[in-house]
Amino acid sequence: KGLFKGKYLVMAFRCIFMSPSSAQNELNSGNIPRASQLTRTTQKTQCHVARLLKMNSVQLRAIAYVATQLRFALSSCSSWVIVDEDFNHEEFYHNIVDYFELPSSPQKVAELDDLLMWGNQ
């Protein structure tokens, strides 16, 4: 589907910013939450994290945060540390943010625009 559009990243995004049940409900859809879904309250909770953060659209730094959390979750590390074995989570996060905020070519700019359009339609 494209970079940062994978099923597990989308599910982790939903789980963190909406609700675990939202991630499960969307298991087969493969879509990142739409802007309208980020402002809606789920049935089982009073208010989800996106609403608490006044997050009305998918943000690139939120994607970087989720990618970092997902990498940790899929690792064999039993507790959060900035550097586990030879992997630096902080550097990983900043590399993704740099990829988003300092695109190396017009093609990368178009890919990022496509990612945001896909996430916020």
Side-chain angles (χ1 to χ4, degrees):
K1 290 185 175 189
L3 188 60
F4 301 106
K5 294 181 181 180
K7 177 173 79 171
Y8 293 114
L9 186 67
V10 171
M11 288 178 61
F13 191 99
R14 288 181 170 277
C15 188
I16 291 170
F17 289 108
M18 297 177 72
S19 70
S21 61
S22 171
Q24 186 60 39
N25 291 342
E26 296 299 324
L27 180 61
N28 296 325
S29 78
N31 293 324
I32 211 159
R34 304 300 179 214
S36 62
Q37 293 172 309
L38 288 172
T39 57
R40 262 190 273 154
T41 305
T42 61
Q43 293 176 353
K44 294 183 180 183
T45 62
Q46 286 294 78
C47 189
H48 51 68
V49 173
R51 181 175 245 176
L52 291 172
L53 296 174
K54 296 181 172 72
M55 190 170 142
N56 297 319
S57 62
V58 174
Q59 303 294 316
L60 293 174
R61 284 181 177 249
I63 296 171
Y65 172 78
V66 171
T68 304
Q69 293 297 321
L70 181 59
R71 191 275 168 198
F72 166 72
L74 295 174
S75 75
S76 60
C77 199
S78 60
S79 63
W80 174 262
V81 289
I82 299 295
V83 178
D84 77 66
E85 297 176 19
D86 61 348
F87 191 87
N88 186 320
H89 290 95
E90 184 175 16
E91 186 177 320
F92 180 68
Y93 170 82
H94 288 295
N95 285 338
I96 295 171
V97 169
D98 286 348
Y99 175 83
F100 288 153
E101 295 181 354
L102 305 169
S104 59
S105 68
Q107 179 185 356
K108 296 292 181 202
V109 172
E111 289 173 11
L112 294 173
D113 289 343
D114 178 61
L115 176 64
L116 286 174
M117 189 167 44
W118 174 77
N120 289 312
Q121 58 180 309

